[in-house]
Amino acid sequence: MSGSAPLSARGLTVSFGRTEALRGVDLDVEAGEVLAVMGPSGSGKSTLLHALAGVIVPDSGTVSLGDTVISDLPEPARAQLRLREFGFVFQFGQLLPDLTALDNVTLPLLLTGHSRRRARRQAASWLERLGVADTRDQVPSEVSGGQAQRIAIARALVTGPRVVFADEPTGSLDSLAAESVMTTLTDLARDTGATIVVVTHDPRTAAHADREVVVRDGRIGGRTGGGARGEAGGEAGCPAGDDADRAPRRPVVRTRA
Ligand SMILES: Nc1ncnc2c1ncn2[C@@H]1O[C@H](COP(=O)(O)OP(=O)(O)OP(=O)(O)O)[C@@H](O)[C@H]1O
Ligand SMILES: [Mg+2]
C-alpha cells in the first residue's frame, strides 16, 4: 500500500484557454506527509490540487499514485480511484444540503459497496471522532461552519483514503475554529497514516504541515519571502506561546527552494 512517494507529479502543465495555470510542476508527496500548498490567489494552487487528485487531466506531464499513472486513466477509472483512495475537503464543506450529517458521511461507504447497516455504524463513529456526534440528524444548514467542516472531514476520512485533498478547509472559519479543525484533521490523518495535501493562504493552517511548497505563477518554488511563516513567525497574530502547543509530532521541514 504505502511507498516512499505515493503521489508524484512530473512536468505538469494545465491551460485554460490562453491562461497557463500550471507551467511545469514537479512534486513528490511522501506517504503520511502533511503538505501545505501556499501561494498568491490565481497562482494555480487549486488547479494543482485538481490535477493531483485526477479531477482534471493535465495537458502534459504525469501524476502517479504509487505505480498507477492517474493521468493516463480514463475518467471512469479516475472516478473510482477518487472514491476509493482519496478524500476531499473544500472551503465550504460541500455537504449535500438535503442529507443529514450521518447520511452525508454514510454516502461514500454506500458508494464503495458497504452494507447500509455497516456504513451507518462506521459513519456514526467518525462523527463521534470528529466531536460532532450530536449533529447526526441535522442537515448542513442547521450546523455551524466549524461543525460543517468537521462533518466534511468525517466524510473525507470515512473510507480510509490514502490521500486527503483539502482546498482552503479553514477559509470560512474564524481563527479558533480554524485552529481546532486543522488540529483534528492532521491528528486523524496521522493516526490513520493518510497523506494530506492542503491548500491554504493561512500561515497558521500551514503551520500544521510537515512541509510547505509555494506555487507562484503556475510553478512550484521561487522565493517564499515573508508570505508564509518566513518573516511573520510569532508576530502576525500568532503568539509564540501558541506555537509550542501546536508543535507537530514530527520534525517540520520548511521548503525554501
Ligand atoms: N475552470 C477554469 N476556467 C478558466 N480559467 C481557470 C479555471 N480554473 C482556473 N483558471 C485560471 O487558472 C489560474 C489558476 O487558478 P487557480 O484556481 O488554480 O488559482 P488558486 O491559486 O487556487 O487561486 P485562489 O487562491 O484564488 O483560489 C487563474 O488564472 C484562474 O483564473
Ligand atoms: Mg484556489
Side-chain angles (χ1 to χ4, degrees), residues 27 35-39 48 211-215 220-221 224 255:
L27 181 65
L35 177 75
V37 177
M38 302 192 75
L48 174 59
R211 180 165 66 107
E212 4 172 307
V213 294
V214 178
V215 180
I220 281 186
T224 24
T255 297

Side-chain angles (χ1 to χ4, degrees), residues 45 72-73 110 127 143 155 188 218 235:
K45 303 180 297 297
D72 283 352
L73 298 175
L110 296 179
L127 287 177
V143 305
R155 185 182 58 180
L188 288 175
E235 276 90 24

Side-chain angles (χ1 to χ4, degrees), residues 16 19-21 39-48 167-168 199 201:
F16 299 104
T19 305
E20 294 178 278
S41 185
S43 59
K45 303 180 297 297
S46 295
T47 305
L48 174 59
D167 198 347
E168 300 274 0
V199 168
H201 283 113

Side-chain angles (χ1 to χ4, degrees), residues 65-81:
L65 178 73
D67 296 331
T68 307
V69 182
I70 301 175
S71 45
D72 283 352
L73 298 175
E75 170 53 24
R78 279 185 283 121
Q80 276 303 313
L81 186 122

